[in-house]
Amino acid sequence: MQDSSNIASYTQNHSLDNKEIERYGRQLITPDIGVQGQMLLKAAKVLIVGAGGLGCPVALYLAAAGVGMLGIVDYDTVEIGNLHRQIGHRESSTGVPKCESLAAQIKELNSLVETKTFNTVFTSDTAIDIIKQFDIVVDASDNVATRYLVSDACVLTKKPLVSGSALKWEGQVTVYNYNNGPCYRCLFPVPPPAETVTRCSDGGVLGPIVGVIGSLQALETIKIINNNPQNGVLSGRLMIYDGLAAVFRTVRIRSKQASCQVCGDNPTITQLIDYTQFCRSNYSESAGK
Amino acid sequence: MQDSSNIASYTQNHSLDNKEIERYGRQLITPDIGVQGQMLLKAAKVLIVGAGGLGCPVALYLAAAGVGMLGIVDYDTVEIGNLHRQIGHRESSTGVPKCESLAAQIKELNSLVETKTFNTVFTSDTAIDIIKQFDIVVDASDNVATRYLVSDACVLTKKPLVSGSALKWEGQVTVYNYNNGPCYRCLFPVPPPAETVTRCSDGGVLGPIVGVIGSLQALETIKIINNNPQNGVLSGRLMIYDGLAAVFRTVRIRSKQASCQVCGDNPTITQLIDYTQFCRSNYSESAGK
Amino acid sequence: MKVTVELSGGLELLFDKKKTHTLEFADKDEIPLRDLILYMRDNLLKERAELFVVDNTVRPGILVLINDADWELYDGIEYIVKNGDTIIFISTLHGG
Amino acid sequence: MKVTVELSGGLELLFDKKKTHTLEFADKDEIPLRDLILYMRDNLLKERAELFVVDNTVRPGILVLINDADWELYDGIEYIVKNGDTIIFISTLHGG
Ligand SMILES: [Zn+2]
Ligand SMILES: [Zn+2]
């Protein structure tokens, strides 16, 4: 390789082997990554909640970057109707659990990455035990109840949460519960009335929108893992993408709220509750089938 | 499916078959897509120049969305060192031409899409003949000489050009030669001095950065194909992403320049020139190997 | 006074599908945000007001931004809107 | 007067790796953009000035933005920079 001398200067005194240097060379010469960053990625354990439109690019980019352990939770199976936006699955995986289908693609892309699949509904009963096995959680789910559940569980287990969402031509990204920043409930103490929630199955969603938002989530995850002081992690800020207008807006949001029921000064929620009842909706889009 | 009645209302009087309705249902119910938009996608022919970091997400998302014909030009073969960011290839494709490797993944994701692969260096001799077979061109290349070549060729053949670029933690996107907007040369009449050009092989680049930029390119391509008056196509504007700071900026750029040597009022460039000489650099990053 | 109101996350569907509205109040040089919200409900919303306002404030799940910052960083609904302000209403998305 | 200068696309590497610089000119209330560029070259750049300025203007491949708009939409290098302006220098990227 033309750049072997350049890479070599970055890779003294490390514990990466030659295979890893060959694979990650052009990544670890990126300023603020370096060998130290690559070793942090290798040691990191990230849980991805949802193996759908957002979960696919999140998983593929984190696997490609060399995150050592990726957990994937999804109870659903691959359908042809997913493939217009879920680029981590294949036609041949129709009927296969999404977490297994995505883990198989990850293995083909980067066999150095370990995956843990959870082919189950993420509920108040299962969430804490699963999350405890990881350092960082990515919310790539598709419904309100799961979003409250994931956020509360991250507060209770003290894990940063990289949250993305999308619908139609729009997407939103932010990081919760990071460095004393706000949690989902700080922003949204009361769930939205069920009739105001548009689901992807009703409103549609475009593949490149989840591609943009999922890629943004993957990068924020890498920044949290790398933990460089100059990393402008998207905490206390919300990024909004309007794909039809081709406009991004990054807005300042409130800090951690003393009055928050789960992360505030006098929390009243000290264990997980029934989120389907709280939100008057199901843990999954397709549960209404 | 729960949403079949909803989808049915969008799909009267069309020529999509049941397989297509099943696959694209949640996309064609997106406002401003609809059956008409899906049929436009099916009829569209898009050329992707480069099957690397940007080309992978562009190709996967356009294939998933149902663009009827995708052309892929790349002369290079897959190396392990590509896989940290090029999520459209697999370990098992090491040594395989990138255009073939990416086309194989497309086929597994959406077998309804036709691909044309060009396992060749894109040069002044080959560019026009290749571009003529398509409606829209996506610049996913990785060097200055190819960027001037692609832009001039698009002006000479009257094709819109969706341009993306990335390095380290940053990316840029815009659309050239669209609706009387500027071309690459309107913005950059003189190539940069060769010593100011940092290559990905020297500066590094992160996967999620090309994921964001490539996904943005895919969406702009879909908007151009759909051609709705309310689509805010990114022409005359440049979008800049700083991933480390988590900040996007969209800036207004000049309109088509009357003085432009190729798209202006009195063009002096009426056929392709030698771009390696013009830019004093090669058509490929790795040509310096 | 002139106020720019922007809607996103699907809220624009309640407001004639228009994402940006410019409101002019010739007789005022400021207006409480609370009154602006009720004005929007009564004058710009044609139907289904409960998808925007509940109990005289925006319904749960809507973020309100005053010049690109969360209204909780100001006085929330007590904020006094001034000439030239931009008020953004964002419905949070849940899909993926 | 105060001017904010921002650098992106790798140009910040020439300027002490700082992406944002605030410049104060106590004795001026405006400055031609041409002079600002030469001032930056002579005072903020330590070495390799030819990677920023060639023939008394920014080198090819750098876009200059005046308050988020291409300088070609104003007077280019003849623009007179005013108090509070933000001038952005972007090196175009070619990688992928
Ligand atoms: Zn909280
Ligand atoms: Zn031109």
Side-chain angles (χ1 to χ4, degrees):
Chain A
M1 284 172 87
Q2 57 177 347
D3 35 29
S4 54
S5 64
N6 194 356
I7 291 172
S9 67
Y10 285 83
T11 54
Q12 283 148 6
N13 310 318
H14 61 78
S15 70
L16 299 176
D17 64 25
N18 287 343
K19 265 174 95 168
E20 291 167 316
I21 299 297
E22 182 188 8
R23 179 183 285 269
Y24 304 121
R26 288 185 187 181
Q27 172 169 292
L28 57 80
I29 62 173
T30 306
D32 304 311
I33 295 280
V35 172
Q36 294 311 315
Q38 195 64 51
M39 286 168 63
L40 288 171
L41 288 168
K42 184 178 172 179
K45 299 173 183 179
V46 176
L47 178 68
I48 302 165
V49 180
L54 295 168
C56 285
V58 169
L60 292 173
Y61 279 113
L62 291 182
V67 169
M69 157 80 79
L70 285 176
I72 306 169
V73 195
D74 204 305
Y75 78 96
D76 212 353
T77 53
V78 177
E79 296 174 22
I80 286 291
N82 303 139
L83 296 185
H84 77 90
R85 71 180 188 282
Q86 301 184 12
I87 62 166
H89 304 298
R90 295 292 178 260
E91 288 181 0
S92 58
S93 300
T94 306
V96 173
K98 282 187 182 176
C99 59
E100 301 298 344
S101 161
L102 187 52
Q105 292 296 315
I106 286 173
K107 200 182 175 68
E108 291 184 23
L109 178 61
N110 189 352
S111 56
L112 306 178
V113 171
E114 203 179 330
T115 56
K116 264 193 195 175
T117 55
F118 302 91
N119 183 21
T120 177
V121 181
F122 201 64
T123 69
S124 308
D125 293 330
T126 57
I128 299 281
D129 281 347
I130 295 175
I131 286 185
K132 273 186 170 167
Q133 306 171 45
F134 299 89
D135 311 316
I136 300 174
V137 179
V138 177
D139 188 344
S141 72
D142 63 359
N143 63 86
V144 188
T146 302
R147 290 182 184 277
Y148 277 99
L149 165 62
V150 172
S151 180
D152 283 0
C154 284
V155 171
L156 296 176
T157 57
K158 300 187 167 42
K159 311 288 182 187
L161 173 59
V162 181
S163 177
S165 59
L167 188 69
K168 301 178 188 175
W169 294 84
E170 292 183 285
Q172 300 172 350
V173 196
T174 189
V175 173
Y176 293 117
N177 201 39
Y178 177 73
N179 260 0
N180 220 28
C183 82
Y184 190 66
R185 229 181 241 276
C186 288
L187 240 71
F188 305 108
V190 179
E195 70 270 24
T196 65
V197 176
T198 311
R199 299 174 303 183
C200 290
S201 51
D202 291 338
V205 64
L206 294 181
I209 298 287
V210 289
V212 169
I213 301 299
S215 300
L216 289 169
Q217 289 180 276
L219 195 75
E220 293 305 313
T221 306
I222 290 173
K223 286 158 64 180
I224 291 172
I225 294 169
N226 262 46
N227 197 27
N228 279 320
Q230 68 273 40
N231 286 2
V233 172
L234 205 54
S235 162
R237 292 183 295 153
L238 172 68
M239 197 180 264
I240 304 163
Y241 173 45
D242 177 341
L244 203 54
V247 169
F248 276 90
R249 194 191 282 276
T250 307
V251 300
R252 285 186 299 134
I253 54 178
R254 69 199 70 174
S255 53
K256 181 200 264 282
Q257 300 290 288
S259 62
C260 179
Q261 285 194 284
V262 66
C263 81
D265 294 343
N266 297 295
T268 55
I269 298 169
T270 55
Q271 55 181 29
L272 298 179
I273 61 171
D274 182 337
Y275 296 88
T276 58
Q277 192 179 39
F278 176 64
C279 297
R280 297 170 187 279
S281 62
N282 289 314
Y283 278 131
S284 84
E285 273 217 334
S286 45
K289 269 184 195 175
Chain B
M1 283 169 85
Q2 60 177 344
D3 35 28
S4 54
S5 65
N6 194 355
I7 291 172
S9 69
Y10 284 83
T11 54
Q12 283 149 7
N13 310 318
H14 62 77
S15 69
L16 298 175
D17 63 26
N18 287 344
K19 265 174 92 167
E20 291 167 317
I21 299 297
E22 182 188 9
R23 178 183 284 269
Y24 304 120
R26 286 185 189 183
Q27 172 168 292
L28 57 79
I29 61 173
T30 306
D32 305 312
I33 295 281
V35 173
Q36 295 311 316
Q38 196 63 53
M39 287 168 62
L40 288 170
L41 288 168
K42 185 178 173 180
K45 299 174 182 177
V46 176
L47 178 68
I48 302 166
V49 180
L54 294 169
C56 284
V58 170
L60 292 173
Y61 279 114
L62 291 182
V67 168
M69 156 81 80
L70 285 176
I72 306 169
V73 196
D74 203 305
Y75 77 96
D76 212 353
T77 53
V78 177
E79 294 174 22
I80 287 291
N82 303 139
L83 296 184
H84 78 90
R85 70 180 189 281
Q86 301 184 14
I87 62 165
H89 304 299
R90 295 293 178 260
E91 289 180 359
S92 59
S93 301
T94 306
V96 172
K98 283 188 180 175
C99 59
E100 301 299 344
S101 161
L102 187 51
Q105 291 298 314
I106 287 173
K107 199 182 177 73
E108 291 185 23
L109 178 61
N110 189 350
S111 57
L112 305 178
V113 170
E114 202 179 330
T115 55
K116 262 193 197 175
T117 55
F118 302 92
N119 183 20
T120 177
V121 182
F122 201 64
T123 68
S124 307
D125 293 329
T126 57
I128 298 282
D129 281 348
I130 295 175
I131 285 185
K132 272 185 171 167
Q133 305 171 45
F134 299 89
D135 310 318
I136 300 175
V137 179
V138 177
D139 188 344
S141 71
D142 63 359
N143 64 85
V144 188
T146 303
R147 290 183 183 277
Y148 277 98
L149 165 63
V150 172
S151 179
D152 283 0
C154 284
V155 171
L156 296 176
T157 56
K158 299 188 168 43
K159 310 288 181 186
L161 173 60
V162 181
S163 178
S165 59
L167 188 69
K168 301 179 188 175
W169 295 84
E170 293 184 283
Q172 300 172 350
V173 196
T174 189
V175 173
Y176 292 117
N177 202 38
Y178 177 72
N179 259 1
N180 219 30
C183 81
Y184 189 66
R185 226 182 243 277
C186 289
L187 240 71
F188 304 107
V190 179
E195 69 271 23
T196 65
V197 176
T198 312
R199 300 173 303 181
C200 290
S201 49
D202 292 337
V205 65
L206 294 181
I209 298 286
V210 288
V212 169
I213 301 298
S215 300
L216 289 170
Q217 288 180 278
L219 195 75
E220 293 305 312
T221 305
I222 290 173
K223 286 158 65 179
I224 291 171
I225 294 169
N226 261 45
N227 198 28
N228 280 321
Q230 68 272 44
N231 286 2
V233 172
L234 204 54
S235 162
R237 292 183 294 154
L238 172 69
M239 196 179 264
I240 304 163
Y241 173 45
D242 177 341
L244 204 54
V247 169
F248 276 90
R249 194 192 281 278
T250 307
V251 300
R252 286 187 298 133
I253 54 177
R254 68 199 71 174
S255 52
K256 181 201 266 283
Q257 300 290 288
S259 62
C260 179
Q261 283 194 287
V262 64
C263 81
D265 293 344
N266 297 295
T268 55
I269 298 169
T270 54
Q271 56 182 30
L272 298 179
I273 62 172
D274 182 337
Y275 295 88
T276 59
Q277 192 179 42
F278 176 63
C279 298
R280 295 170 189 280
S281 62
N282 290 314
Y283 279 131
S284 86
E285 275 216 331
S286 45
K289 271 184 194 174
Chain C
M1 70 177 291
K2 222 185 224 178
V3 184
T4 303
V5 168
E6 296 192 18
L7 302 150
S8 106
L11 277 181
E12 70 279 6
L13 298 179
L14 302 176
F15 293 85
D16 225 14
K17 295 195 180 178
K18 267 181 65 184
K19 287 179 188 167
T20 304
H21 297 251
T22 306
L23 306 183
E24 289 211 50
F25 301 97
D27 53 335
K28 289 186 165 78
D29 54 10
E30 57 179 41
I31 180 172
L33 183 46
R34 181 191 305 278
D35 294 354
L36 179 70
I37 290 169
L38 298 182
Y39 172 89
M40 288 172 64
R41 178 191 65 185
D42 297 336
N43 294 276
L44 302 180
L45 258 183
K46 300 303 172 214
E47 43 172 355
R48 309 190 69 190
E50 75 282 5
L51 299 186
F52 182 57
V53 175
V54 172
D55 294 336
N56 288 319
T57 186
V58 294
R59 64 144 173 93
I62 294 179
L63 276 184
V64 184
L65 305 172
I66 299 166
N67 302 322
D68 276 354
D70 189 349
W71 69 347
E72 286 292 325
L73 300 173
Y74 296 94
D75 303 321
I77 201 164
E78 309 297 339
Y79 176 79
I80 306 297
V81 179
K82 286 159 200 66
N83 181 46
D85 277 352
T86 297
I87 312 293
I88 310 183
F89 298 88
I90 302 174
S91 181
T92 182
L93 306 176
H94 310 94
Chain D
M1 68 178 291
K2 222 184 223 178
V3 184
T4 304
V5 168
E6 296 192 20
L7 301 150
S8 105
L11 277 181
E12 69 279 8
L13 298 179
L14 302 176
F15 293 85
D16 226 13
K17 293 194 181 180
K18 269 180 62 183
K19 287 180 187 167
T20 304
H21 298 252
T22 307
L23 306 184
E24 289 213 48
F25 301 98
D27 53 333
K28 291 187 165 79
D29 54 9
E30 57 177 45
I31 179 173
L33 182 46
R34 181 192 304 277
D35 295 353
L36 178 71
I37 289 169
L38 298 182
Y39 173 89
M40 288 171 64
R41 179 192 64 184
D42 297 336
N43 295 277
L44 303 180
L45 257 183
K46 299 303 174 214
E47 42 171 356
R48 307 188 72 189
E50 75 281 7
L51 299 186
F52 183 57
V53 174
V54 171
D55 295 337
N56 289 318
T57 186
V58 295
R59 65 146 173 91
I62 295 178
L63 276 183
V64 184
L65 304 172
I66 299 166
N67 301 322
D68 276 354
D70 189 348
W71 69 347
E72 286 293 325
L73 300 173
Y74 295 95
D75 303 321
I77 201 164
E78 309 296 339
Y79 176 78
I80 306 298
V81 178
K82 287 160 201 64
N83 182 44
D85 277 352
T86 297
I87 312 293
I88 309 182
F89 298 88
I90 301 173
S91 180
T92 183
L93 307 176
H94 311 93

